[in-house]
Amino acid sequence: KLESKITNLKQSMNEESVRLTKDGVPGNPGEIRPKEMDLRASADKQWEIRSKYDDLKSRYENVKKQLDQGIDPPEIVHAVDQDPDVARARQAVDGFDFDLSATTLGPENPRTKQQQFLRDQWAKRLEQLRGEKLANYRVTAVDNLRNQIKIDQQRLDSATQTLDQASASLTLTT
């Protein structure tokens, strides 16, 4: 009878140990439970998303502040300078500048005057293009940042919800 009771107790303890392990309760003191690891992973993910969100929000505020002050942020100026239409117009102006600097005909020569006229027309076109592109890129940059903030806010909310669920799950098992 005693051996039967001991066998039943051992079996009961094993079953309880299996159930507790499934619930995330470790069998050994100091052992990290799976639910604790889930909580840590959720916290790390939320921190990563929050950092990106905060950086993005700061970038948005800086861009808005610069634009409000009439300053074009470097990323917008760079985008305009890389625009194919602006690059072609700049290349045309540079080409005329090179030709004019290399001419030996003199400033009153009809051919030189024609080159200068064409150069001036391309320079006006370049400034017009830059103005149009700057206006477009300003709006696009602000809209893109605003949209990305909305997306990242949703990701942050989701990560926070996951963290809260992991925390609540851990609290229920302790």
Side-chain angles (χ1 to χ4, degrees):
K1 280 189 166 184
L2 188 58
E3 285 181 21
S4 173
K5 284 185 177 183
I6 290 174
T7 303
N8 285 342
L9 277 173
K10 283 183 179 180
Q11 183 178 356
S12 176
M13 286 175 59
N14 281 338
E15 289 171 359
E16 186 64 18
S17 176
V18 167
R19 187 187 67 75
L20 288 172
T21 300
K22 283 183 182 177
D23 288 341
V25 177
N28 300 319
E31 185 178 315
I32 297 176
R33 300 181 291 181
K35 289 189 178 185
E36 289 172 330
M37 291 189 320
D38 289 345
L39 180 64
R40 177 59 187 226
S42 294
D44 289 347
K45 185 68 174 174
Q46 186 208 32
W47 184 83
E48 176 186 328
I49 292 170
R50 178 170 295 287
S51 293
K52 288 180 181 179
Y53 173 79
D54 289 344
D55 289 346
L56 184 64
K57 204 167 176 188
S58 177
R59 234 176 76 216
Y60 171 78
E61 290 166 2
N62 286 337
V63 166
K64 282 290 288 169
K65 182 178 177 182
Q66 288 176 336
L67 290 173
D68 289 345
Q69 294 172 349
I71 300 169
D72 288 312
E75 58 266 27
I76 293 175
V77 172
H78 179 72
V80 168
D81 289 341
Q82 298 302 312
D83 184 87
D85 296 332
V86 171
R88 275 192 294 279
R90 184 180 315 287
Q91 187 177 15
V93 170
D94 291 346
F96 282 113
D97 285 343
F98 178 78
D99 291 346
L100 287 167
S101 69
T103 189
T104 58
L105 299 175
E108 295 304 318
N109 183 287
R111 182 167 165 82
T112 303
K113 286 182 177 183
Q114 173 72 20
Q115 289 285 82
Q116 185 63 48
F117 175 78
L118 291 173
R119 187 250 178 242
D120 292 344
Q121 293 300 309
W122 273 104
K124 287 178 186 175
R125 177 70 181 137
L126 173 61
E127 288 309 307
Q128 178 187 6
L129 275 171
R130 285 192 93 253
E132 292 170 3
K133 299 294 181 173
L134 277 169
N136 289 337
Y137 280 99
R138 288 175 192 134
V139 170
T140 301
V142 170
D143 287 347
N144 287 345
L145 286 170
R146 191 179 300 127
N147 290 335
Q148 190 59 49
I149 286 172
K150 287 178 186 176
I151 291 167
D152 282 6
Q153 178 66 55
Q154 291 170 349
R155 290 181 63 219
L156 180 59
D157 292 345
S158 175
T160 300
Q161 184 178 11
T162 301
L163 178 61
D164 291 346
Q165 289 170 349
S167 179
S169 173
L170 183 65
T171 304
L172 292 175
T173 61
T174 54

